[in-house]
Amino acid sequence: MRRFRLLLLLFLLIFALNLYAQQLVKPKNIILMIGDGMGLAQISAGKTFKGQLNLEKMKVVGLLTTHSCDEYITDSAAGATAMSTGYKTKNVSIGIDCNGEKRETVLEYASKIGKSTGIVVVCAITHATPAAFVAHVPNRNMQIEIAEQIAKEANADIYLGSGWGWFLPKSEGGRREDGQNLIEVMKKRGYTYISKPEEFYNLNIDKVNKLIGLFAENHPPYAPDRKPTLAEMVKKAIEFLSKDKDGFFLMVEGSQIDWAGHDNNSEQILKEMADFDDAIGVALDFAQKDGNTLVIVTADHETGGYALVGGSVNDKKVEGKFVTKNHTGIMVPVFAFGPGAGAFAGFGDNTLIGKIIFEYLKK
Ligand SMILES: [Zn+2]
């Protein structure tokens, strides 16, 4: 009898320890940061330019394949959908799988289970990467429809980026031919709307229930000419989202690293990398203090076939060459920091991002 009690005690102890260990690796908050078009050369160039990257604080590193279900070379829509849903899709598809079936996104699921959610980008929020977290359309160019889904169906608590033209009718300076003012629709759903940098800097985040901030008609300019900056927006979003005791999911995109790659503009890649890394610094500062936040940094694909054929560490300069104006099929790195980071080490596929985030949310 005594032996039985001892065994039972031991069993209970193991059970409790196991539960504790599971709790330990389950992050309360998840911040997914996507450097659009950010391959290893872009990161190397960024490091040469900045000296030290915040990214270097992330000790878990892996590599991801990026092909879509119909092309070896993915576009941002299929790349983002793989990360937002855990499913591959065809190029240009948003939030649906290879068979055209609608797939729930990690943001939608996080919102459903009571977490606060947000999107922070330096492009129109109707653009491929952000759209793949909050919308479901067969073609990324359907930005009129994407805006309508964001305004009427999506549940993110905070959007910071640009692209108010997609939400307003032509009569009010926007692009919509259906006469709808979707900003008014969102205001009725409890969103505070801001469109000027001053409004952003003066905003009392404690007085806001939900927020949409769009700071350009379509896309904002290249860094450093953007106000507010990506880092400033990430800081504000975390301040807002971290008030939720149930935790939050935030997607951040360094959107224009990709465009500098398409432009074969090596100088601009340095500036966009520095801008994105500043935002990574803000997220890591929060995660370090909080202790319960997983930060994942990755890319949807590489852009430009960018190669460093010369440079100087002392002069903080690189000599860059490009083999294409398009994306390439090389694997992209993934970096992780915080509880649950270990799952991203080693080789994987871009669908791993969505699958693991779902796993952590469902635990
Ligand atoms: Zn691109």
Side-chain angles (χ1 to χ4, degrees), residues 90-101:
K90 292 177 185 161
N91 278 10
V92 311
S93 294
I94 298 273
I96 58 175
D97 66 17
C98 299
N99 303 317
E101 204 164 311

Side-chain angles (χ1 to χ4, degrees), residues 36 76 258-259 262 301 303 327:
D36 200 308
S76 291
D258 175 59
W259 304 353
H262 284 292
H301 51 75
T303 306
H327 304 163

Side-chain angles (χ1 to χ4, degrees), residues 31-32 38 61 84 96 115 122 229 280 336:
I31 305 175
L32 172 62
M38 182 184 74
V61 183
S84 70
I96 58 175
K115 289 186 189 286
V122 281
T229 66
I280 292 169

Side-chain angles (χ1 to χ4, degrees), residues 160-161 164 193-203 212-216 227-228:
L160 290 172
W164 52 257
Y193 172 63
I194 55 173
S195 62
K196 295 183 181 70
E198 312 88 78
E199 292 175 309
F200 173 85
Y201 295 115
N202 296 328
L203 188 73
I212 177 162
L214 306 176
F215 304 103
K227 284 282 169 209

